[in-house]
Amino acid sequence: MSNDTGAVVCVTGGSGCIGSWLVHLLLDRGYTVHATVRDIKDEKETKHLEALGGAESGRLRLFQIDLLDYLSITSAVKGCAGVFHLASPCIVDRKELLDPAIKGTENVLTAAKEAGVKRVVVTSSVSAITPSPKWPADVVKGEDCWTDVEYCKQIGLWYPLSKTFAEQTAWEFSKEKGLDVVVVNPGTVMGPVIPPTLNASMMMLLRLLQGCTETYKDFFMGSVHFKDVALAHILVYESPSATGRHMCVEAISHYGDFVAKVAELYPEYNVPCIPRDTQPGLLRAKDASKKLMDLGLQFIPMEQIIKDAVESLKSRGLIIS
């Protein structure tokens, strides 16, 4: 795909932290965007989108959808050249997590196929890559690594299961129906928050600054800036050579590395001291996201990601300067 200024694209989950950044950058590039929300009457989902540059020109249209209501999705996708499927539940209940993630992905892809969409970019996660305890200890985890489904079932890790099953659904649909699908697998996504609510990664940082000692040993693979994740989506959409999965982290690192950097940058907060090697089965790597780097993405480093994220928390009064 090349950048077709004025082309119409759909962003499901457009009101979320990543979705808002993606809508913002797409509008900046001249796209017309169909952004979906869960409740179009809720200003917490709509007001920040309507305030984005380009929205006032009529290039932003908001649609209320339910991932399990196929007809609501078709109205948002109609007339679009591309679809960015970000919408996904992030809750702990098994049924409420898995069903919308899997069936919702199938519904969005079906609507895209019927509408003649050229390419669909699916937002997966590193949670579809890890936990993967059987992965060879001497091999860096990457796009060819998948989360161990049976392991997650045994200990009740429903979020990684939902991301893994949803992504597998996308690949199966692409193969069977001939729809052009590419996938982005972001890590722990942080930075300046556009919507009024925080995502899970920003909440993790907030708890860390408040002294939380959780280690996230099964989930953390590295941090990435909101802007870089949005850019990654656009790059894989616009680049004809982009295929398959795309790991999206500034580097593979341990949660202990992240905590140590937060403590170094912000000694005034109650950041706990935890071991650096919090994930003994995870090999560190600077170029884990080489596929995106080869497409031209220059990742914002961890230090700047943390600074931007903390400043965003301060601006909301969630932590004291």
Side-chain angles (χ1 to χ4, degrees), residues 212-240:
C212 176
T213 57
E214 292 175 87
T215 59
Y216 301 94
K217 63 183 180 67
D218 286 325
F219 303 105
F220 194 89
M221 285 190 73
S223 57
V224 62
H225 200 283
F226 285 123
K227 183 178 181 180
D228 285 345
V229 177
L231 283 172
H233 282 72
I234 295 172
L235 280 172
V236 300
Y237 174 72
E238 293 182 350
S239 304

Side-chain angles (χ1 to χ4, degrees), residues 33-302:
V33 181
H34 290 185
T36 78
V37 299
R38 287 171 297 182
D39 184 356
I40 206 163
K41 295 180 181 179
D42 185 351
E43 287 193 347
K44 290 181 179 179
E45 289 200 65
T46 61
K47 196 171 182 179
H48 63 282
L49 293 176
E50 293 168 340
L52 294 173
E56 75 289 344
S57 66
R59 287 192 292 110
L60 175 66
R61 292 187 61 194
L62 301 181
F63 291 79
Q64 179 173 306
I65 72 165
D66 178 343
L67 288 174
L68 299 181
D69 179 2
Y70 176 74
L71 290 179
S72 72
I73 298 169
T74 60
S75 62
V77 171
K78 184 178 180 182
C80 292
V83 171
F84 299 87
H85 179 42
L86 282 71
S88 182
C90 189
I91 48 183
V92 295
D93 180 84
R94 176 181 177 180
K95 182 176 177 59
E96 290 186 22
L97 190 61
L98 295 182
D99 287 355
I102 299 166
K103 185 61 178 177
T105 296
E106 185 177 303
N107 282 341
V108 169
L109 296 179
T110 301
K113 178 67 176 177
E114 290 299 314
V117 165
K118 296 176 182 178
R119 171 169 283 188
V120 177
V121 179
V122 173
T123 311
S124 185
S125 169
V126 296
S127 290
I129 293 173
T130 189
S132 39
K134 296 178 183 178
W135 186 254
D138 59 344
V139 179
V140 174
K141 293 182 179 180
E143 286 91 356
D144 52 350
C145 180
W146 281 87
T147 284
D148 188 323
V149 168
E150 292 307 315
Y151 172 79
C152 289
K153 286 180 178 178
Q154 288 171 10
I155 59 178
L157 297 176
W158 303 118
Y159 181 72
L161 280 174
S162 74
K163 300 307 289 186
T164 302
F165 288 152
E167 186 183 340
Q168 289 174 343
T169 296
W171 290 125
E172 290 166 6
F173 188 99
S174 175
K175 182 179 179 180
E176 293 174 6
K177 306 295 184 181
L179 181 65
D180 184 4
V181 171
V182 288
V183 169
V184 178
N185 299 80
T188 300
V189 193
M190 293 175 288
V193 178
I194 295 176
T197 54
L198 302 180
N199 65 335
S201 297
M202 289 292 288
M203 287 298 299
M204 178 201 76
L205 175 60
L206 178 59
R207 290 195 296 269
L208 176 62
L209 291 165
Q210 295 170 339
C212 176
T213 57
E214 292 175 87
T215 59
Y216 301 94
K217 63 183 180 67
D218 286 325
F219 303 105
F220 194 89
M221 285 190 73
S223 57
V224 62
H225 200 283
F226 285 123
K227 183 178 181 180
D228 285 345
V229 177
L231 283 172
H233 282 72
I234 295 172
L235 280 172
V236 300
Y237 174 72
E238 293 182 350
S239 304
S241 63
T243 59
R245 313 173 91 193
H246 297 78
M247 173 93 80
C248 189
V249 291
E250 63 89 26
I252 292 181
S253 56
H254 286 210
Y255 183 65
D257 301 328
F258 176 78
V259 173
K261 180 58 68 173
V262 174
E264 174 192 325
L265 293 172
Y266 297 98
E268 66 272 27
Y269 293 105
N270 187 31
V271 179
C273 180
I274 68 171
R276 289 293 290 268
D277 289 321
T278 49
Q279 296 148 275
L282 183 65
L283 296 180
R284 295 174 173 89
K286 283 291 184 183
D287 61 348
S289 300
K290 189 175 185 303
K291 288 180 71 174
L292 288 172
M293 293 175 180
D294 288 346
L295 292 177
L297 185 54
Q298 297 180 354
F299 283 91
I300 296 167
M302 180 196 293

